[in-house]
Amino acid sequence: MDPQVELEISDQAPGPRRLSAELSLLSTQACPDSQQEGSDARLVRPESQELRLGSRQHRLPQPATYRTTVARRDPGCGIVCDLALLGSQKPRVVRNVMTMVWPYDPGALAASDRELVDAAWSLTDAVHWSMSFTHDQASWGPGLDDLLGILGAADDEVRARLSELVAPLLERARVAPDCQIDELDQLCEAPDGRVRLIRFRAQRRGGGLVGIASEVTDELEREQEAAELADHYRQLVELSPNAIYVLQEGVAVYANPATVRLLRAESTARIVGRPVADFMFENSAPTMQAQLESLSTPGATADRAQAALRCFDGSSVLVEAIAVRTTWQGRTAFQVIMRDITAHRAAEAALRYQAALVENVSNAIIATTRSGIVTSWNPAAEVIYGRRAEHAVGQPVGEVVGASLDPAALAAAGCVTEVTHRRADGAALTIGMSVAQMDSGFVLVCTDETALRRAQRHHATVVDALVEGVVVIGTTGLVESANPAALQILGTREADLVGSLPAAWPLFDEEGGLLPPHTHPSTWCQRTGKPQDARLVRTRRGDGRSVWLSLTSRTLNPDDAPPHPIVLSFTDVTESRAIRERLERDATHDPLTGLANRALILQRLDAELRTRHRTGDIGVLFIDLDHFKVINDSLGHSVGDDVLRVVSGRLSRVTRHHELVGRLGGDEFVVISPDENDTRKVRLLAEHLRRCLTDPIHVEDRQLHIDASIGIVLAPPGDTRSAADVLRDADVAMYEAKKLGRGRCAVFDVRLRKRVQRHLNLEQDLRRAISRKQLWMAYQPIVELSTNQIKAVEGLLRWTHPSYGTISPAEFIPVAEESDLINDIGMFALRTGIEELTEHRKRHGLQLQLKANLSARQLEDPHLLATVQTILSEAALPPAELCLEITESTLMQDPAAATEILSGLRQVGVRLAIDDFGTGFSSLAQLHDLPLNTLKIDRSFTARLGDSSGTEALIASIVALAHTLDLNVVGEGVETAEQLDTIRRLGCDMAQGFYFSKPVPIDQLSDTIRTNTPDTD
C-alpha cells in the first residue's frame, strides 16, 4: 500500500508550508530504492534534486481535500508526489507536485543548499529544526523564534527554548530506531498573551533529531469544533425518530436505533454488515438501486421514493426514503433516511374511504355550522331532497330540508328521530335522522324511510286482509301482534291473544296426542331457527270448539342468534280435513259395507308383512259366500246387497279390534289376523266366522241361509311374498275348500304351493312355448260308423315341456285362457293343423276333414273370421274341410254373440260342431238357433254305458234331438267294442276314441289310418 496523507488546503490555511511539511514526513515512509505505483498516479523518478511546486502551475482549487502519494524516495531523500483532488466523480490528478532534497544532516549542506532549503520551507507554515541528543547542537529555520513566542530572541535563547520544548522527544528518540517519526504538542505563550499549541514532529537522524514545528492551535480548535459538531450530529442521528443507515458498496455499515426498531431487529449488529437487499422486497430493490446510482457527486440528494422493507419478524413496512451521497471512513458511501409511512398510508386510505363513503352512501349526510348553515351536501342528499349541492350549501338547513329543526337539540337527544321533511318539489319525505356534534358544527345523517314506511303500511293492509291467520312472536316467546284472520280462526280477542304465551296453547297431533310445549312449532322454531311447514295440529278455540290448523313457523331474522322472533301463519283446515278424510275413507273402504276395500287390505297386509322383528305368523282368511249368485239372480241385487251388509256386520262383530275385515268385491271377504302362532287357532277362527254366517238372515220378510268357503294362509316371519301373492294363495286355498264340497275351510299348504308354483311356471313358459317350438299337433281319427271309414281327424294341441315333459291340454289350456294367451295359441293350433293336414291330404290322396277346437276367448276375437279365411286361403284348403268345435258351456255363456260369430263362419263354408254336449244347460230353442252341423256327445255318457239303461236312453234322446235338427252325431270316448256297438245301435253317425287310435303326430297319421281301421266283419 502506498504511503498516503490526506490534507486539507483552505483559505484559512494556505498550503505551501503545510504541504511541504506533510510531504517531508511521507519521505520517511517510502521504501528505499524501489518504484511503486499508487492507486491513482503514475510514478516519476526525478532527474535532478530540485524543488518544484506543482500547485502554482495547476491552480488547485481551495478549499479542497487532496491525497498525496509517495512516488519514490531516492538516496538523497528526495521524493516525487502526486496530488489527487478528492470528492469528485473523476479525481483531478496533479502530477509531480514537488521534488525536494532533504539531507539527513542539515549541517552537511552547503550554504547555498541551506539557503535553497530555507527558501523552500519559507513557503510553508512549518519551520524545520534539528537538535543533537547532547543539546549542544541545534539548527532551525526562519520564523522559529516567532513560532515559539520569542520573536527577535537571540539564538541561545531560541536554542534553549527549543531544547526545553523538544526534550521529551529527545528522550524518547534515544531508544527509538532510526527513521521513526515521533510527535509532540507543546503550549507556548505569545507576546500578546495568547497561548499557542505547537506541534513538533521529528525523526531520529544519527546523533539527534530532525523535525518540523508548526502551530496547530487553529487546527486543534477546528478539530474540536468538528468533533463537537460530529458528536452533535451523531446524537441527532442516534435520537432521530427516522431510520438512518449508511450504505457502502451495497452493504450497511451503520444503522441508528430507529432503524433497529423499524426492522424489528434485536440490535445494530443484526443490520450492519448485511447487504441492503436482505431488507428489501424484490419489487423495491431496483428503484432504490437506481436512485443510488443517480447520485454522482458528494452531497447529492435523491428524490423521495417509497420502498417496502422486510422486517426480521417476517412482517413488512412501507417507508419513504431519501438518499444522500457522502463518505464513510474516507470512502464513498450513501446515507439513507427512511420514514415509516404505513400508518400515514392507512390514514390516507381511511380518509379516502370516508370520502368515498360520504360520496356513495345511500344516506344523506349534511354538515352545518353551529348556526345551522349548510357546509356540505353529499350526492345522496341531492337525490333524496331533489336539490343540487350548489343550491344547498350556504343555506339554512331548515330551508333546504323543508322543515324547521334544531341540530343542537337533536344532538343532545342522542337518538334517531323520525321526522317529516319536504323535497324541493314539495313531496313529503319520512326521514330517520340522527345528529352528531363536531368542533365546527353538526353532521346530520338522514335516512329516507319513505318507501319503507309505505311498504309497511301496504304490508299491514295486506296482512289484515289475509284469510290466513298471522301471529308474530317476539324473542320473549310472547305474542306481539295478530291479524284479524288469526283472531277469527282462534275465536279470541286481540287483547287476550297479544301478550299470551303460545307454548301454553293446547296442541294435538293427528293421532290425538297432546304435544309437549317444547315440541310446539313456535317453540322449536324459536329455539333452533329451523322452519316447520304445513304442520297439521288441532287446538281449541276460545269458545271450546276444536279446530284443525295447517301451521307454518318461520324465523323473522334467520341470521340472528336464538331465541328468534318468529311468525306463525295458519289456515283453518277443519272442513277440508273432514272432506279429505271422507275421500280417503271412500278410497279405501267399500261403499256398500263400509269395510276395507282391496286397496286398504293390500296396504295393511303389506305393512304387516314388512314389520321388522315380527315373531308371529300373519293369518289371512279368504271368505267366499256359497251360492250367493242364486240369491242375487232370484231375489234381486237389492236383497243381495242387504245380505252383504248383514254379513259384513257379523264379521266385524266376531273379529277382534286388531284384526282387519275387508270386502274384495262381490261375495268375497278377507280377514287379516296378525300374530297368529298356531294353525289350529286360525282354523278355529275360520270355523267361528263360518258359524256366525250360517245363522238365518231376515231380509224383506224372508229368512235366508248362507254358508261360506274359507281359504287360509299363514305368512311366517321373513316371508318374502308380496301382499298380492299372499292374497292370491288364500284365494287358491278357498277354491280348494269349494272343491272339497263347499262350507269348508282349507289351508294353503306345500301341496297347494307347489301346484300354484307349477301354475306360475307353466304360465311363464307357455309365453315362450311357440317360439321355442314346444307346441305341436296330434291327430285322432273319427270313424264314420256306416262305412267304417275314417272321414275326419280332430287336431289336438300338445305341449312337450323341457322340465315337466308332456303337459295335458286340460292343464295348460286353462292357464292360457287365464293369461290371455289363448288367442295366440288357438290361432297357432288352427294354422298348424290346417297346414299339416292339407300337406298330408296332398301327399297321400286322402279326403280328411279337420276338426279344430275354439275357446270362448277366441269367439270374442273380432278378427276371428278374417283370420280363419286367411289361413284357409294360404293353405288352399276348402272351407268345408274344416269343422270348428265349440263346447256347450262356451256357447251358453252368450248365445246371441256366439250365434252371430258362428253364422259368419258358416257363411264362408266352415262346418261347425257343438262339443261335450250334455255337460251344459243348452235348451232345444238355443240349439235350433245356432248354425251347427255336428253334435258331439260328451265322453262321460259313453263311459257310463253298460252301468245303467238310463244312459242308453239319454244318448238315444240326444241322437234323436240332433237328427231332428239335422245334425250329425259323434260319440266321443269310445274305448271298447261294446261301447262301439252300443252307440252304433243307438244311431250315432260317427265315433271317436282310443278304441280306434290315440292322438298321433302328423307323420304317424297315415300308418294309424291304415293299421287301426276296425274290420267291418
Side-chain angles (χ1 to χ4, degrees), residues 501-507 514-527:
L501 188 66
W505 298 353
L507 296 182
L514 179 65
L515 295 178
H518 69 276
T519 65
H520 282 204
S522 59
T523 307
W524 171 263
C525 184
Q526 190 169 45
R527 186 176 68 254

Side-chain angles (χ1 to χ4, degrees), residues 780-900:
Q780 187 174 36
I782 299 174
V783 177
E784 186 180 46
L785 297 181
S786 62
T787 62
N788 290 330
Q789 298 293 320
I790 297 176
K791 295 296 184 179
V793 292
E794 182 177 0
L796 301 170
L797 188 63
R798 295 293 183 263
W799 182 14
T800 303
H801 192 278
S803 299
Y804 300 131
T806 301
I807 308 296
S808 169
E811 183 178 5
F812 74 79
I813 292 299
V815 173
E817 290 180 339
E818 292 175 6
S819 59
D820 294 331
L821 295 173
I822 190 62
N823 284 343
D824 294 337
I825 292 176
M827 286 301 105
F828 168 80
L830 181 62
R831 179 182 295 275
T832 303
I834 291 175
E835 291 175 353
E836 289 183 350
L837 188 62
T838 301
E839 179 65 23
H840 187 79
R841 282 160 53 99
K842 293 179 181 178
R843 184 182 301 117
H844 298 284
L846 299 175
Q847 296 295 322
L848 293 176
Q849 185 185 58
L850 175 65
K851 294 184 180 292
N853 294 285
L854 284 182
S855 69
R857 300 292 294 276
Q858 286 180 282
L859 285 178
E860 298 173 358
D861 184 3
H863 306 291
L864 175 63
L865 178 59
T867 303
V868 171
Q869 286 181 294
T870 301
I871 296 173
L872 290 173
S873 175
E874 291 175 354
L877 182 69
E881 298 300 322
L882 173 65
C883 180
L884 296 178
E885 298 180 357
I886 306 97
T887 63
E888 182 184 12
S889 58
T890 298
L891 290 173
M892 293 305 103
Q893 289 181 7
D894 189 353
T899 299
E900 181 180 355

Side-chain angles (χ1 to χ4, degrees), residues 23-321:
L23 292 177
S24 67
L25 292 177
L26 287 174
S27 68
T28 65
Q29 302 175 21
C31 297
D33 302 325
S34 63
Q35 173 132 358
Q36 298 183 8
E37 289 194 7
S39 60
D40 54 356
R42 179 176 59 83
L43 306 183
V44 179
R45 179 174 180 173
E47 297 296 332
S48 61
Q49 297 180 354
E50 62 179 0
L51 176 65
R52 292 189 291 108
L53 297 178
S55 60
R56 295 181 180 178
Q57 300 173 7
H58 295 278
R59 302 179 63 83
L60 300 177
Q62 297 180 8
T65 300
Y66 298 86
R67 175 175 294 159
T68 64
T69 303
V70 175
R72 180 177 175 76
R73 189 186 74 185
D74 60 16
C77 285
I79 60 174
V80 177
C81 301
D82 292 343
L83 294 183
L85 176 61
L86 301 181
S88 63
Q89 188 172 6
K90 295 182 180 180
R92 176 182 174 188
V93 179
V94 181
R95 307 286 183 183
N96 304 330
V97 172
M98 66 176 62
T99 302
M100 74 177 186
V101 177
W102 190 10
Y104 290 100
D105 185 2
L109 292 175
S112 59
D113 292 334
R114 181 179 297 280
E115 292 176 358
L116 177 59
V117 171
D118 290 342
W121 282 113
S122 67
L123 298 176
T124 71
D125 293 331
V127 179
H128 66 87
W129 58 271
S130 65
M131 176 70 69
S132 66
F133 289 126
T134 58
H135 297 271
D136 56 348
Q137 293 185 11
S139 64
W140 57 85
L144 183 62
D145 54 346
D146 184 21
L147 185 63
L148 299 179
I150 52 174
L151 181 64
D155 289 346
D156 292 339
E157 184 179 358
V158 172
R159 182 182 299 107
R161 182 62 174 157
L162 176 63
S163 176
E164 177 186 0
L165 292 174
V166 300
L169 287 176
L170 288 170
E171 293 299 323
R172 293 198 295 265
R174 291 179 190 277
V175 295
D178 288 344
C179 299
Q180 178 174 317
I181 298 175
D182 199 0
E183 185 176 284
L184 176 67
D185 291 341
Q186 295 283 27
L187 294 175
C188 295
E189 185 175 354
D192 58 0
R194 187 171 66 88
V195 177
R196 296 176 177 177
L197 180 65
I198 307 301
R199 177 168 294 165
F200 297 92
R201 303 182 70 187
Q203 185 179 40
R204 178 175 176 173
R205 295 293 187 192
L209 292 179
V210 175
I212 60 174
S214 60
E215 183 180 359
V216 295
T217 306
D218 294 340
E219 181 180 348
L220 181 60
E221 291 177 353
R222 286 195 300 272
E223 289 177 357
Q224 291 177 346
E225 291 176 357
E228 291 177 358
L229 181 61
D231 185 61
H232 293 162
Y233 177 75
R234 181 186 60 78
Q235 292 185 18
L236 289 174
V237 171
E238 291 290 320
L239 299 176
S240 173
N242 293 329
I244 301 174
Y245 68 95
V246 177
L247 292 177
Q248 198 169 61
E249 297 180 356
V251 177
V253 295
Y254 169 80
N256 72 339
T259 305
V260 176
R261 293 191 298 271
L262 180 68
L263 295 178
R264 277 73 163 176
E266 292 83 0
S267 64
T268 307
R270 293 292 306 275
I271 302 173
V272 174
R274 297 185 62 169
V276 69
D278 290 355
F279 314 124
M280 286 195 176
F281 284 95
E282 291 75 5
N283 57 347
S284 297
T287 303
M288 181 60 69
Q289 184 63 31
Q291 284 195 326
L292 296 180
E293 292 176 355
S294 68
L295 303 178
S296 58
T297 59
T301 303
D303 294 334
R304 296 177 185 268
Q306 293 182 1
L309 301 185
R310 184 185 294 110
C311 300
F312 282 91
D313 61 359
S315 62
S316 63
V317 62
L318 185 65
V319 299
E320 184 179 68

Side-chain angles (χ1 to χ4, degrees), residues 548-614:
W548 282 96
L549 304 177
S550 176
L551 189 147
T552 296
S553 177
R554 293 186 178 275
T555 60
L556 290 174
N557 302 309
D559 296 333
D560 292 348
H564 298 278
I566 62 171
V567 57
L568 290 178
S569 59
F570 49 85
T571 55
D572 184 354
V573 296
T574 306
E575 184 177 355
S576 61
R577 176 180 170 82
I579 295 174
R580 187 191 69 185
E581 289 177 347
R582 287 195 298 270
L583 292 176
E584 289 178 352
R585 181 173 179 81
D586 291 344
T588 57
H589 288 75
D590 176 45
L592 177 64
T593 63
L595 299 178
N597 63 6
R598 176 181 290 272
L600 183 56
I601 292 171
L602 291 174
Q603 178 183 337
R604 287 285 299 275
L605 180 55
D606 184 72
E608 294 291 345
L609 291 171
R610 301 294 172 262
T611 300
R612 292 185 176 182
H613 312 299
R614 180 166 58 88

Side-chain angles (χ1 to χ4, degrees), residues 996-1009:
F996 301 106
S997 173
K998 293 182 179 181
V1000 295
I1002 189 67
D1003 56 356
Q1004 299 177 17
L1005 181 60
S1006 179
D1007 294 339
T1008 299
I1009 293 174

